[in-house]
Amino acid sequence: MVETRFSKFLQKLGLSRAGHQYEPLERGELETLFDEQCELEAIEKDKTVVALPPKEASKCHREDLAKAFYVDLQNGLSESSVTQRRLVHGWNEFVADNTEPMWKKYLDQFKNPLILLLLASALVSILTKEYEDAISIAMAVLIVVTVAFIQEYRSEKSLEELTKLVPPECNCIREGKLQHLLARDLVPGDIVCLSIGDRIPADIRLTEVTDLLVDESSFTGEAEPCSKTDAPLTGEGDLTTLRNIVFMGTLVQYGKGQGVVIGTGERSQFGEVFKMMQAEETPKTPLQKNMDKLGKQLTLFSFCIIGIIMLTGWLQGKHLLSMFTIGVSLAVAAIPEGLPIVVMVTLVLGVLRMAKKQVIVKKLPIVETLGCCNVICSDKTGTLTANEMTVTQLVTSDGLRAEVSGVGYNGQGTVCLLPSKEVIKEFSNISVGKLVEAGCVANNAVIRKNAVMGQPTEGALIALAMKMHLSDIKESYVRKKELPFSSEQKWMAVKCSPKNEEEEDIYFMKGAFEEVIRYCTMYNNGGISLPLTPQQQSFCQQEEKKMGSLGLRVLALASGPELGKLTFLGLVGIIDPPRAGVKEAVQVLSESGVSVKMITGDALETALAIGRNIGLCNGKLKAMSGEEVESMEHTKLADHVGKVSVFFRTSPKHKLKIIKALQESGAIVAMTGDGVNDAVALKSADIGISMGQTGTDVSKEAANMILVDDDFSAIMNAVEEGKGIFHNIKNFVRFQLSTSISALSLITLSTMCNLPNPLNAMQILWINIIMDGPPAQSLGVEPVDKDTLRQPPRNVKDTILSRALILKILLSASVIISGTLFIFWKEIPEDKASTPRTTTMTFTCFVLFDLFNALTCRSQTKLIFEIGFLRNHMFLYSVLGSILGQLAVIYIPPLQKIFQTENLGVLDLLLLTGLASSVFILSELLKLCEKFCSRAKKAQIHHQDV
């Protein structure tokens, strides 16, 4: 459009090719041309607008901001300016560039070394024309990969459902009109209006403020709302001290304001955290590392078998190629293709059990990782505490003390006098009643549906009145005047007149003790006003200091006819208290060898108070500030960080450094958090745990695990589950390897000794079904032993195939081989020819050995009488099914033909059962010996300590 008009302008000047005559321009055309030139200049200006860093913006005056963003502070931006700026800055949202297509996520499941080993063995089976083996292995791999993919997909979907929120909206001035827009439409330079309950849609430099309080707990960790101003700042400080800037994702608690957008999307402080989070790699879980190692060990084991058989065959003068084929077939048979399925089933069942306990697990192996987690770092606000300010103590002016129970913005809880524990309601105690009345009347907050509308500290006073059935006392007065709180005067007061009585007006005041006491000449003593003596004032000051040292926010309350002649009523102590169940969870975790550390953006006193309250390090706390963390070198911090239990005044950068230092010192770290400031640490930790209800979207995205009900104690269940899963995997590995080694050794020994094959092909297939089928699979679903939680976290360096487990596998295998060879030797005729009876006895003996071996493999340390025969129902059914199947193979004629078996007598079955039980008896005796040795060792250590 501009170009066509410009060509007409050239034609008027006679500069077109048609001719060279000059023609005068009309007045309207000149004005149009001037407007278009201004429009082009405006477009160029809009393209040069850049996001302003908060520290820089905080120092700007209103006029400087208007110039920097080319915006009229009254009328806002024009729609054309918004369009141009969006071309440069994009939408006010975050684009995760790591979203993978479905097919890639599915193919990623094949990267597991054990899966690759199984695929290699399937390929070898095809080359050696063992097509049945190849199909069964391929099917096993497909089942494992598909189950893993479906489970992870379902977890992601449930997470999406959890995080589906109404798209954030905002009020914005454009072209002189107040418009209601989606937050994603904002661009730098937009004028945004803020009011109570608004979620801040972008980083904003405030230009107008009326009593504005902003909850920045999700960003800084500060439980107390931050009072905002519109004046330029002069001093240097960190982001938490910028009182004229509000950050994306924080919440307006009180008042109203207006400001200029200085940063959107990834150019906001929220965006900086998002970019840091994307740059962090999620570490591999210990189980993944263990499975990788096991895959390599089994590969090495397979090659050793091939080598030994080929060497033996060569020494016996047999054909090398045929020996190689036998060796490869045996190696393929030795690889436990059931292992990935058992691991998968065990993990999936763990995830499903966790889902019932309101915990969403995004990645399967994370469930097991908690079993070796030895450090849990937790954010304070919203995680260990509920982010709900609550009155916990009060002291009246005449020296009465009371404790308040119950957490949150509701009437649940009581006010009890100390030390008598007498419960107070309404004005049953006049001193406490008058104190609570003052806190309720000098108040602008409203509690609806267990949520506060207004200041959290005022909400805490309303909740206190609800506990004493005094929340309606406010209705007894008509408010005439309010003297609002300001950060300079540090108090607020209201002037009221009683509704139903012809009494004079009364002032109610609340605020900082040192300010309120200046307006008092009297103090309340059991409902009677007495002169405020220096001794009485000194007593109240000591009480205020005592409450402050406990990390409480102390408010003083007073009432009276005039501001200079008030009666001092007492003090209330307010804190964001620990969530229910946190103290017990911390105690259980500490007893089981898990160290719990608190990382908060809050002040030292508050952090220590909560730390003592929840029993961190049995109250022996060592604290460290964010500044100290920043100034300390990585190696020194790694040595020092394990001894510290409370980190205060920390930023996202500090949290990340603490997590990295703990990991460098060899710890497996879980991080729990709910805010934007926790996101980077959640991603870099071995296990990131986010809160489901209070957690921000970015923290849920970064975490591996989400506590749907925000219940910290659910972590205990997850730790218990993780420890149990690893034990079950070890039990299965022990059973399957001891069985496969026995079967291989039996065939190998008979081949080497030029004896007939003790088992035919169909019998070996039946043994394989037992080895990889229901009895083996049922070991993976053994219920978690309650004693596992008390055990210390397992060492990450511990492999699945530990030395102790290998010895147990070899012991069981040698017993099975010896017993089966004994039956084979006993039943074989003198001409060494294989008969149906010989193979039936040998085959049945091996199957019974297998089932007794499975029974003892249910636990590595506990006797069968301790864990109970009936606890694992799936195991019972699978063993019963295997016994019935074996009897069918022996006694049903059609099956006798297929398996080449014959009927056995009752004495034969009794002999075989007695002999096969030896593997179970020997393993149980070994467990008993280990128990006695362990007790003797503990007693010796205890004796030495004494």
Side-chain angles (χ1 to χ4, degrees), residues 94 218-219 239 265-266 268-280 652-653 675-681 698-699:
F94 306 106
S218 73
F219 197 78
L239 293 173
E266 292 189 5
S268 64
Q269 286 305 304
F270 194 111
E272 288 297 317
V273 172
F274 187 78
K275 280 189 276 187
M276 278 173 73
M277 187 185 87
Q278 285 202 313
E280 278 301 312
K653 196 165 62 176
V676 178
N677 57 334
D678 303 315
V680 186
V698 74
S699 69

Side-chain angles (χ1 to χ4, degrees), residues 731-936:
N731 294 344
F732 172 81
V733 168
R734 179 185 168 184
F735 168 71
Q736 200 168 49
L737 287 182
S738 57
T739 304
S740 58
I741 287 169
S742 305
L744 281 171
S745 303
L746 202 63
I747 294 159
T748 309
L749 286 169
S750 59
T751 307
M752 285 179 175
C753 300
N754 280 326
L755 291 168
N757 233 332
L759 304 167
N760 62 41
M762 286 307 294
Q763 290 169 352
I764 290 170
L765 185 68
W766 177 251
I767 288 165
N768 245 326
I769 289 167
I770 292 175
M771 196 168 79
D772 292 327
Q777 304 286 330
S778 64
L779 290 172
V781 297
E782 188 72 34
V784 176
D785 188 0
K786 292 294 168 194
D787 290 345
T788 54
L789 190 59
R790 297 193 194 96
Q791 292 173 11
R794 76 173 178 85
N795 193 331
V796 195
K797 291 171 186 173
D798 289 352
T799 58
I800 291 175
L801 274 179
S802 61
R803 190 181 294 174
L805 191 66
I806 290 169
L807 287 171
K808 285 175 182 174
I809 288 167
L810 293 175
L811 179 73
S812 297
S814 58
V815 173
I816 294 168
I817 294 161
S818 305
T820 311
L821 280 176
F822 168 73
I823 292 294
F824 182 58
W825 168 80
K826 179 178 171 289
E827 295 297 330
I828 199 165
E830 285 182 13
D831 61 356
K832 292 189 177 177
S834 183
T835 64
R837 177 172 170 82
T838 309
T839 54
T840 306
M841 286 289 282
T842 310
F843 170 45
T844 309
C845 181
F846 193 93
V847 168
L848 291 172
F849 261 121
D850 245 14
L851 297 176
F852 274 112
N853 188 31
L855 186 64
T856 194
C857 286
R858 281 178 62 194
S859 172
Q860 299 296 318
T861 52
K862 290 200 165 184
L863 300 171
I864 191 68
F865 304 108
E866 290 176 292
I867 58 173
F869 278 98
L870 307 173
R871 198 174 69 166
N872 187 346
H873 296 295
M874 188 179 162
F875 179 81
L876 278 177
Y877 298 142
S878 58
V879 167
L880 189 65
S882 299
I883 292 167
L884 291 172
Q886 185 63 25
L887 292 173
V889 164
I890 298 169
Y891 295 108
I892 294 173
L895 291 176
Q896 283 180 338
K897 282 181 185 176
I898 295 166
F899 286 90
Q900 294 170 22
T901 56
E902 65 175 42
N903 293 353
L904 296 178
V906 176
L907 290 174
D908 291 331
L909 290 175
L910 286 173
L911 168 70
L912 294 175
T913 306
L915 184 64
S917 66
S918 61
V919 72
F920 167 75
I921 293 163
L922 201 68
S923 293
E924 294 294 291
L925 287 171
L926 190 66
K927 287 180 199 173
L928 209 58
C929 291
E930 282 176 349
K931 267 188 180 257
F932 282 125
C933 292
S934 175
R935 279 181 196 164

Side-chain angles (χ1 to χ4, degrees), residues 547-649:
M547 287 167 89
S549 68
L550 295 172
L552 301 173
R553 186 184 177 198
V554 185
L555 283 181
L557 293 140
S559 66
E562 291 177 42
L563 277 183
K565 296 179 180 177
L566 297 179
T567 300
F568 185 72
L569 298 173
L571 305 162
V572 293
I574 302 171
I575 199 167
D576 177 16
R579 286 180 180 276
V582 166
K583 187 174 183 178
E584 294 77 10
V586 168
Q587 188 181 346
V588 173
L589 288 166
S590 299
E591 285 171 2
S592 65
V594 180
S595 170
V596 181
K597 298 181 187 297
M598 186 202 295
I599 308 179
T600 178
D602 231 328
L604 174 64
E605 292 77 18
T606 311
L608 289 177
I610 295 295
R612 287 192 199 98
N613 205 331
I614 63 173
L616 281 186
C617 291
N618 297 321
K620 298 167 188 172
L621 302 177
K622 189 172 181 184
M624 192 176 189
S625 71
E627 285 179 6
E628 288 175 275
V629 169
E630 193 162 1
S631 61
M632 203 175 277
E633 288 179 9
H634 274 283
T635 47
K636 196 176 177 187
L637 184 64
D639 295 335
H640 194 71
V641 79
K643 300 161 194 166
V644 180
S645 46
V646 173
F647 296 90
F648 63 98
R649 290 280 182 232

